[in-house]
Amino acid sequence: MTENAPQQKTDLPGAWDPAAEEAPIYDRWVAAGYFTADATSDKPPFSIVLPPPNVTGSLHMGHALNHTLMDAMSRRRRMQGYEVLWLPGMDHAGIATQNVVERQLAGEGLSRHALGREKFVERVWDWKAEYGGKILGQMKRLGDGVDWSRERFTMDENLSKAVQTVFKNFYDAGLIYRAERIINWCPRCQTALSDIEVDHSDDEGELVSIRYGDGADAIVVATTRAETMLGDTAVAVHPDDERYAHLVDTVVELPLTGRKIPVVADKHVDPEFGTGAVKVTPAHDPNDFEIGRRHDLPMPAIMNERAEITAPGPFEGLDRFEARPAVVAALREQGRIVAEKRPYLHAVGHCSRCDTVVEPRLSLQWWVKVAELAKAAGDAVRDGRTEIHPAELEKRYFDWVDNMHDWTISRQLWWGHRIPVWYGPDGETVCVGPDEQPPSGPGWTQDPDVLDTWFSSGLWPMSTLGWPDETADLAKFYPTSVLSTGYDILFFWVVRMMMFGVQQMDGAQPFDHVYLHGLIRDANGKKMSKSRGNVIDPLEWMDAYGADATRFTLARGANPGTDMALADEWAAGSRNFCTKLWNASRFAMLNGADASGPLPPAGELTEADRWILGRLAALVSEVDDLFEEFQFAKVANALYQFTWNELCDWYLELAKVQLYQGDEARVAATRLVLGHVLDTVLRLLHPFVPFVTEKLWTALTGGASLVVAAWPKPAAGYADPAADAHIADVQKLITEIRRFRADQGLKPAQKVLARLSGDGVPAGHEDAIRSLVRLTPPGDGFGVSAALEVALAGGMVMVELDTSAAIDVAAERKRLQKDLGAAQKELAQTEGKLGNESFIAKAPAPVIEKIKLRRETAAADITRIEARLSLLPQLP
């Protein structure tokens, strides 16, 4: 900064300190009520419901990414004049929470059964009050602009009312029924699981081939679960398989049991797979269950809820994994084992909560009949009521909704929404709505099961707004505007909300747009996991780099539907960006940046002013377009490039010359332009980096808060293609001179005498060029020791330097001679190879072309270095 720089005062400290600043800023926003929505407002609505985190959860990078994007959308819409509701809350997370509290009880030497249902549920509520919802406090650190006055919990009174209402409506409509079906059973959690709560992996096991029957009537089947043969009630073959035609409708003896079981013909059997014959265990396999129904087979269960064998005999009481080798050993002893393949890789289902191997099991459960609901959910996307972003994930959505199986909704837990069904002493079944009294008297009992967590969270967009009551919130904010979530729970949660919402709200979709982001991975693209040790904690990033840097890093990687790789150095880069923004803004304010007045007419501004205003207008339009397309990474990158490159690296440098060397009118105009550009950039950046922009903007403008400031619109009338072309020439010339100075061994701050000539010198910009590359006008005794010619759009420019007083001639001559020797050696080597006929005959064409390029580069280097040496003053 030169001595005549127009200094101003600013209350901004010399550096941005996130740890000291972020929490007080957030508390001020909440206290001012900026995030509290008004359902009576005339403003157009914009609403998002927070995907409710589990009450057991804490903030992880997936949350941080999704919350950053939701907050960015909400902040922008609020600035655009919308009535914004971003509604927070938590999910009671039935299995996960019950497991946590059961472990706590076990540490006290207790169990839920010893405590009893009522006391256990009280303990869970106590745990929730003390430990639950940790993530909500962590959301404040991230800067989430949620409406805390509307915080919800899936077991709140009104949300429970919504659950009971839907259950009653579905039950009365025949969409909910109770039946014995094969379900996924977790022996550890002691409950049924829906298909989406089962994680599949390829596990090593054993494939055993077992001979049933003897002689000509023998038939061989293969299984990975040998213990289940104790529950076989048939062997099935394909009706057209001639190998077994003589056995159909006969019986074979089931080994180890002495029971006779039929051989049945069923088209489900693949005659090309294995032996073409399969064992049928209807109570322990979903496909076998269907075969059993078609052929009216018995369905004996041979395991209890702990996956222990209950079939009478020597295996009774054994765990399934103890029984498996014992059964194989007994079969081997009888000569029934035909083949054993070990290890055998096959798909195995695991409980998504505790990783226990799931056991298919025949069980009496409550189900939702999904065909009608799923079709309606699919139609809502097909006809455009709900748009999925990115559009290519629509196919995955349709694959699920078009092929859904009925949904198991009952869970054998105590924590959750209890099924509102009562059973009477004479076999009566009564479903009770929320405003109805349950039956009472001797023999009446309520169903002991609770509902799947996804049943209540599937109502989240409606229930949180007050449904089934006709509330002002529901009228104003439903359908919600956007659902933002990871593509991995598209089926878990999104489909269920669509089914419930469309069915219960007379066809009205629960959200207009579904934005699906990818998963967070480490810098090498690997999935983050504690076992790999590659998990990044967003709280640690916020401690180290600040919330703004954490958010900006996530936003810059948020391409729709695409996984994101993360590393610490990227967060450090975002912190550097916030520092750059702080320093540039502070410099602008120290130099009188003025955001209070209207911009001067274009004719009163310099080309640099018109160029930056034109670029700024284009940026505003680009950001708006990309936001509407949910292209958050592109928005963040456009803001980064403009702020760092065009504003900080170029316009601020050009503005310095105008501020320090211009007359009073020029200084005033530059301050207005600088203030306007900075004001606009801070508004545009606010959705992604809310804290630092808030601090800077309130200091610049004196406004109350960026949260409620207006979103910028492109300033018209400043686009100037001629100015753009001239500034592009200035940028190219400055860049080339800086590179040339470095080649000459000149330090960046070192001033050097120089002459600029030629018809390409950008008119009116020579002073700025000289100032930015430290070139002083030539005087008497000027001698050219280095020269550079630059081709610009406006013509050629000759830059001649007198470096005699700026460099150590002897050291520079020595350096250049060393470089010349290396170039000459390279030239000799390449010419030698190219002159060797034997080499040319054998070498591949790409290798020859590469050597020719090296020869040309060496020759050019020699010419350049010799020219440079000729310009250096001769040593005495």
Side-chain angles (χ1 to χ4, degrees):
M1 189 177 295
T2 61
E3 291 182 358
N4 60 337
Q7 287 286 304
Q8 303 289 315
K9 290 183 178 180
T10 177
D11 293 331
L12 290 175
W16 168 241
D17 184 357
E21 299 281 3
E22 289 174 349
I25 289 174
Y26 188 86
D27 290 343
R28 183 168 60 84
W29 288 336
V30 173
Y34 292 145
F35 304 140
T36 304
D38 180 2
T40 66
S41 165
D42 292 332
K43 296 177 182 178
F46 179 82
S47 54
I48 293 180
V49 290
L50 177 79
N54 288 352
V55 69
T56 57
S58 60
L59 193 71
H60 59 64
M61 272 300 179
H63 290 127
L65 166 62
N66 197 30
H67 290 208
T68 294
L69 302 182
M70 287 186 283
D71 196 38
M73 288 187 279
S74 299
R75 287 177 184 273
R76 174 172 173 263
R77 286 301 193 211
R78 189 179 291 109
M79 295 172 75
Q80 288 180 316
Y82 286 75
E83 190 61 45
V84 172
L85 170 61
W86 183 14
L87 191 148
M90 293 180 297
D91 193 300
H92 66 279
I95 295 176
T97 306
Q98 180 155 321
N99 282 346
V100 168
V101 177
E102 286 200 69
R103 284 196 297 269
Q104 189 181 63
L105 288 174
E108 302 171 16
L110 295 172
S111 70
R112 65 176 167 123
H113 297 286
L115 209 58
R117 184 170 193 144
E118 186 176 337
K119 292 293 184 183
F120 175 77
V121 171
E122 287 179 8
R123 280 292 296 263
V124 181
W125 278 109
D126 291 343
W127 180 91
K128 188 259 182 186
E130 186 172 356
Y131 301 107
K134 179 170 58 175
I135 192 172
L136 296 179
Q138 294 167 347
M139 286 164 54
K140 297 177 181 179
R141 283 205 60 191
L142 193 63
D144 285 5
V146 297
D147 185 344
W148 293 109
S149 71
R150 286 175 166 87
E151 181 186 336
R152 301 288 187 260
F153 180 53
T154 48
M155 289 186 65
D156 285 346
E157 182 179 352
N158 193 75
L159 275 70
S160 296
K161 177 181 178 181
V163 168
Q164 196 172 351
T165 298
V166 169
F167 191 99
K168 173 70 172 175
N169 291 347
F170 278 19
Y171 182 88
D172 290 347
L175 294 174
I176 283 182
Y177 63 95
R178 195 181 190 215
E180 273 198 323
R181 298 283 188 274
I182 291 288
I183 50 94
N184 304 296
W185 180 264
C186 177
R188 159 65 183 79
C189 297
Q190 297 278 291
T191 184
L193 305 173
S194 66
D195 290 343
I196 59 174
E197 293 170 307
V198 178
D199 296 332
H200 292 274
S201 61
D202 287 335
D203 295 0
E204 285 190 357
E206 179 182 25
L207 183 67
V208 181
S209 296
I210 309 170
R211 176 173 51 83
Y212 289 10
D214 296 298
D217 295 338
I219 192 166
V220 176
V221 298
T223 182
T224 57
R225 300 161 65 218
E227 71 282 4
T228 63
M229 59 87 59
L230 300 171
D232 286 358
T233 56
V235 173
V237 298
H238 194 275
D240 301 330
D241 195 333
E242 294 181 359
R243 293 172 296 174
Y244 303 114
H246 67 290
L247 293 177
V248 174
D249 294 333
T250 67
V251 296
V252 294
E253 183 173 311
L254 181 65
L256 306 182
T257 68
R259 285 193 289 115
K260 302 289 186 179
I261 60 175
V263 178
V264 300
D266 195 281
K267 289 184 178 180
H268 168 77
V269 180
D270 180 1
E272 303 298 323
F273 183 77
T275 64
V278 297
K279 59 190 285 301
V280 181
T281 320
H284 294 278
D285 183 274
N287 294 320
D288 293 2
F289 173 76
E290 296 301 329
I291 293 174
R293 290 214 298 181
R294 286 192 290 271
H295 297 275
D296 197 25
L297 298 174
M299 299 185 181
I302 52 96
M303 285 186 219
N304 62 19
E305 67 277 2
R306 294 181 298 279
E308 297 166 341
I309 302 299
T310 57
F315 311 107
E316 187 173 4
L318 292 180
D319 175 81
R320 55 184 166 163
F321 297 126
E322 296 172 335
R324 186 169 300 169
V327 168
V328 171
L331 290 168
R332 191 182 297 113
E333 186 176 342
Q334 289 189 4
R336 294 288 172 182
I337 300 298
V338 175
E340 295 179 70
K341 186 176 181 180
R342 186 189 306 113
Y344 179 73
L345 206 63
H346 63 123
V348 177
H350 296 257
C351 174
S352 62
R353 294 297 179 189
C354 69
D355 203 41
T356 299
V357 173
V358 167
E359 189 64 40
R361 182 169 183 256
L362 185 63
S363 181
L364 182 63
Q365 302 285 344
W366 286 94
W367 302 79
V368 172
K369 194 179 296 183
V370 300
E372 174 187 328
L373 302 173
K375 181 182 182 303
D379 290 344
V381 174
R382 287 188 170 96
D383 63 25
R385 277 172 284 162
T386 295
E387 294 182 34
I388 293 178
H389 309 270
E392 53 265 29
L393 287 181
E394 280 186 2
K395 181 181 183 303
R396 185 180 299 185
Y397 177 84
F398 292 134
D399 284 345
W400 278 326
V401 297
D402 294 344
N403 298 284
M404 283 186 70
H405 301 295
D406 284 2
W407 170 21
T408 322
I409 56 171
S410 46
R411 298 290 177 270
Q412 288 64 55
L413 305 172
W414 289 353
W415 172 244
H417 295 98
R418 194 164 175 181
I419 288 175
V421 171
W422 274 256
Y423 306 111
D426 298 318
E428 304 96 328
T429 299
V430 177
C431 180
V432 177
D435 299 321
E436 300 172 349
Q437 287 294 321
S440 58
W444 282 95
T445 59
Q446 185 178 358
D447 193 298
D449 291 350
V450 300
L451 286 164
D452 178 11
T453 295
W454 296 103
F455 193 98
S456 53
S457 60
L459 301 172
W460 191 248
M462 304 150 45
S463 61
T464 54
L465 296 176
W467 187 90
D469 298 333
E470 295 180 2
T471 65
D473 279 0
L474 193 67
K476 178 75 174 180
F477 297 112
Y478 190 94
T480 62
S481 306
V482 181
L483 172 73
S484 176
T485 189
Y487 66 68
D488 56 324
I489 60 170
L490 179 60
F491 182 66
F492 277 89
W493 188 45
V494 179
V495 170
R496 280 152 174 70
M497 289 189 288
M498 290 290 285
M499 290 195 305
F500 284 157
V502 172
Q503 206 274 347
Q504 293 293 289
M505 297 297 287
D506 297 322
Q509 69 283 2
F511 16 75
D512 298 331
H513 298 272
V514 176
Y515 169 75
L516 300 168
H517 60 73
L519 307 181
I520 302 290
R521 299 186 179 274
D522 70 11
N524 298 313
K526 292 183 178 179
K527 186 176 180 181
M528 288 188 180
S529 69
K530 292 180 180 178
S531 61
R532 284 197 181 102
N534 63 348
V535 173
I536 300 175
D537 186 343
L539 298 173
E540 291 180 2
W541 265 21
M542 285 190 276
D543 288 340
Y545 308 111
D548 286 327
T550 300
R551 292 167 59 114
F552 201 57
T553 303
L554 294 167
R556 291 191 72 189
N559 290 298
T562 304
D563 290 350
M564 179 194 311
L566 285 184
D568 286 350
E569 54 264 34
W570 300 330
S574 294
R575 177 192 57 195
N576 294 344
F577 174 77
C578 293
T579 299
K580 182 98 167 178
L581 178 67
W582 180 271
N583 292 339
S585 301
R586 189 170 183 275
F587 165 82
M589 284 182 246
L590 283 169
N591 285 275
D594 184 358
S596 64
L599 286 170
E604 297 178 12
L605 299 177
T606 66
E607 285 189 328
D609 294 336
R610 296 198 297 277
W611 164 75
I612 196 64
L613 290 173
R615 288 294 304 122
L616 182 67
L619 175 70
V620 174
S621 297
E622 180 183 12
V623 165
D624 278 331
D625 291 344
L626 292 172
F627 254 121
E628 296 302 319
E629 297 167 3
F630 300 91
Q631 293 286 352
F632 301 107
K634 292 181 179 179
V635 173
N637 191 57
L639 291 169
Y640 178 93
Q641 297 299 336
F642 179 89
T643 303
W644 191 292
N645 297 329
E646 294 177 290
L647 174 56
C648 296
D649 285 355
W650 286 108
Y651 182 69
L652 277 182
E653 297 301 314
L654 295 170
K656 285 180 185 178
V657 180
Q658 297 177 182
L659 289 168
Y660 302 165
Q661 299 177 14
D663 57 24
E664 188 174 338
R666 173 65 59 236
V667 169
T670 302
R671 286 172 168 173
L672 286 168
V673 172
L674 192 53
H676 173 80
V677 173
L678 187 57
D679 176 20
T680 303
V681 166
L682 292 172
R683 292 172 194 254
L684 292 174
L685 280 167
H686 180 71
F688 291 137
V689 285
F691 294 107
V692 68
T693 52
E694 175 82 350
K695 185 74 173 182
L696 292 170
W697 186 84
T698 52
L700 173 70
T701 67
S705 174
L706 257 180
V707 177
V708 290
W711 185 253
K713 296 180 179 179
Y718 293 96
D720 186 343
D724 294 347
H726 291 163
I727 295 301
D729 274 353
V730 170
Q731 291 173 323
K732 181 179 179 181
L733 182 57
I734 289 173
T735 300
E736 289 297 316
I737 294 173
R738 284 173 173 166
R739 182 191 60 76
F740 187 65
R741 282 176 56 105
D743 288 344
Q744 301 303 309
L746 296 168
K747 296 178 181 178
Q750 196 169 15
K751 293 183 179 180
V752 63
L753 296 169
R755 180 166 56 219
L756 304 181
S757 59
D759 56 2
V761 177
H765 294 285
E766 184 170 343
D767 288 347
I769 293 167
R770 287 184 174 279
S771 176
L772 295 180
V773 290
R774 305 296 191 269
L775 300 182
T776 56
D780 294 339
F782 176 77
V784 178
S785 58
L788 167 69
E789 194 172 39
V790 183
L792 302 178
M796 299 299 295
V797 176
M798 177 62 73
V799 183
E800 297 169 302
L801 306 180
D802 180 355
T803 61
S804 58
I807 63 173
D808 183 334
V809 175
E812 182 66 6
R813 182 176 290 279
K814 184 177 180 180
R815 182 182 71 83
L816 290 171
Q817 286 173 336
K818 181 180 178 182
D819 291 346
L820 179 61
Q824 289 170 335
K825 182 179 179 181
E826 172 75 355
L827 181 63
Q829 287 178 341
T830 54
E831 286 183 337
K833 287 186 177 182
L834 294 172
N836 185 333
E837 293 182 2
S838 175
F839 173 78
I840 294 297
K842 296 178 181 178
V847 173
I848 295 173
E849 288 302 316
K850 187 175 181 180
I851 294 173
K852 286 181 178 179
L853 181 60
R854 286 170 52 196
R855 180 181 63 180
E856 293 171 7
T857 302
D861 286 344
I862 290 170
T863 301
R864 175 179 58 82
I865 296 168
E866 287 178 341
R868 172 76 182 112
L869 282 166
S870 69
L871 291 172
L872 286 176
Q874 294 298 315
L875 295 172

